[in-house]
């Protein structure tokens, strides 16, 4: 079945970096776009970034632009999020989500938690 | 930037009630709007895509309508498993996304 499994979260000090991974299975990875979406504790959903199916385009929320980089490795069926210069405002549960059509997030992982704290 | 608002931010309802949530965009977004349900401790689940299309496997008591700047999401007869938070999500031609702030539906 279609599955997305995030990993790489943890506790990190402000200003440091972290790389999240999203390992996928059950579908042809190279034919789907993918998103990262985060949710701060007790808050709503915040879109973070998208990468198109062919990797030709990547777009970011203003809140992470210049600090986060989304990438994909089709040989490993894996999506990444490189997060640099982390601040307390980046503390959240990070989800990866598959995109069908233009932006229909039809399959989600269970998330990985990032806590930025000194 | 296009801003999304949702009303109400929360509501209390009983099983069997008809529930309607509205979502408004600050600019015309055509029908580029999806609706998601999120239950506590779970990932979101898509219910409606492109404003009015029911996702496969989603019960028909859920529906969506609207275009341009004004959209609505309706549960025709609220069931116990429908108590959750609902989010609208707009997107653009580049697949950039904005979520609405959410509407929490709880038990009266």
């Amino acid at each position: 079945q279609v599955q997305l499994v995030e990993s790489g979260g943890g506790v990190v000090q402000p200003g440091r970096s972290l790389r999240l991974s999203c390992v996928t299975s059950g579908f042809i990875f190279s034919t789907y776009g993918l998103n990262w979406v985060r949710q701060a504790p007790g808050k709503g959903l915040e879109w973070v970034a998208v990468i198109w199916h062919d990797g030709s385009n990547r777009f970011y929320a203003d809140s992470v632009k210049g600090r986060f980089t989304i990438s994909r490795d089709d040989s490993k069926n894996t999506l990444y999020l490189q997060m640099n210069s982390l601040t307390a405002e980046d503390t959240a549960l990070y989800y990866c989500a598959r995109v069908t059509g233009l932006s229909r997030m039809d399959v989600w992982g269970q998330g990985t938690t990032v806590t930025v704290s000194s | 930037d296009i801003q999304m608002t949702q009303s109400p931010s929360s509501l209390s309802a009983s099983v069997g009630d008809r529930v309607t949530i509205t979502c408004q965009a600050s600019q015309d977004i055509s029908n580029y709007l999806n609706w998601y349900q999120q239950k506590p401790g779970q990932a979101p689940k898509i219910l409606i895509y492109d404003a009015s299309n029911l996702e496969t496997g989603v019960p028909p008591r859920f529906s969506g309508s609207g275009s341009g700047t004004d959209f609505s999401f309706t549960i025709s007869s609220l069931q116990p498993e429908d108590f959750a938070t609902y989010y609208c999500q707009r997107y653009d031609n580049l697949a950039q996304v904005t979520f609405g702030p959410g509407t929490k539906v709880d038990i009266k």
Side-chain angles (χ1 to χ4, degrees), chain B residues 79-96:
Chain B
Q79 297 301 301
E81 60 269 29
D82 300 338
F83 292 97
T85 301
Y86 294 86
Y87 296 91
C88 62
Q89 171 233 324
R90 75 98 189 171
Y91 56 92
D92 63 20
N93 286 329
L94 301 177
Q96 300 176 104

Side-chain angles (χ1 to χ4, degrees), chain A residues 47-103:
Chain A
W47 173 72
V48 174
V50 62
I51 186 166
W52 286 16
H53 70 284
D54 58 1
S56 61
N57 278 292
R58 316 170 196 207
F59 299 101
Y60 301 90
D62 288 344
S63 58
V64 307
K65 203 172 293 183
R67 299 188 300 122
F68 288 13
T69 301
I70 188 171
S71 62
R72 60 190 298 154
D73 185 338
D74 288 6
S75 69
K76 297 181 179 178
N77 293 341
T78 301
L79 173 72
Y80 300 101
L81 185 68
Q82 177 67 42
M83 304 186 296
N84 299 332
S85 303
L86 286 162
T87 73
E89 286 67 45
D90 298 315
T91 293
L93 179 63
Y94 284 73
Y95 294 103
C96 59
R98 187 182 80 167
V99 177
T100 294
L102 197 53
S103 193

Side-chain angles (χ1 to χ4, degrees), chain B residues 19-86:
Chain B
V19 169
T20 297
I21 298 167
T22 63
C23 180
Q24 188 168 55
S26 58
Q27 300 175 38
D28 188 337
I29 60 169
S30 184
N31 68 331
Y32 288 7
L33 190 95
N34 302 327
W35 290 94
Y36 296 81
Q37 175 193 66
Q38 187 181 32
K39 297 179 182 179
Q42 296 185 19
K45 173 187 175 183
I46 187 163
L47 302 179
I48 302 290
Y49 66 94
D50 297 346
S52 60
N53 294 291
L54 193 67
E55 181 74 4
T56 302
V58 173
R61 65 179 180 273
F62 296 100
S63 65
S65 65
S67 67
T69 60
D70 296 302
F71 302 86
S72 63
F73 170 83
T74 297
I75 307 172
S76 61
S77 178
L78 197 66
Q79 297 301 301
E81 60 269 29
D82 300 338
F83 292 97
T85 301
Y86 294 86

Side-chain angles (χ1 to χ4, degrees), chain B residues 6-11 21 85-86 101-105:
Chain B
Q6 274 184 249
S7 296
S9 57
S10 65
L11 66 91
I21 298 167
T85 301
Y86 294 86
T103 295
K104 185 176 181 181
V105 177

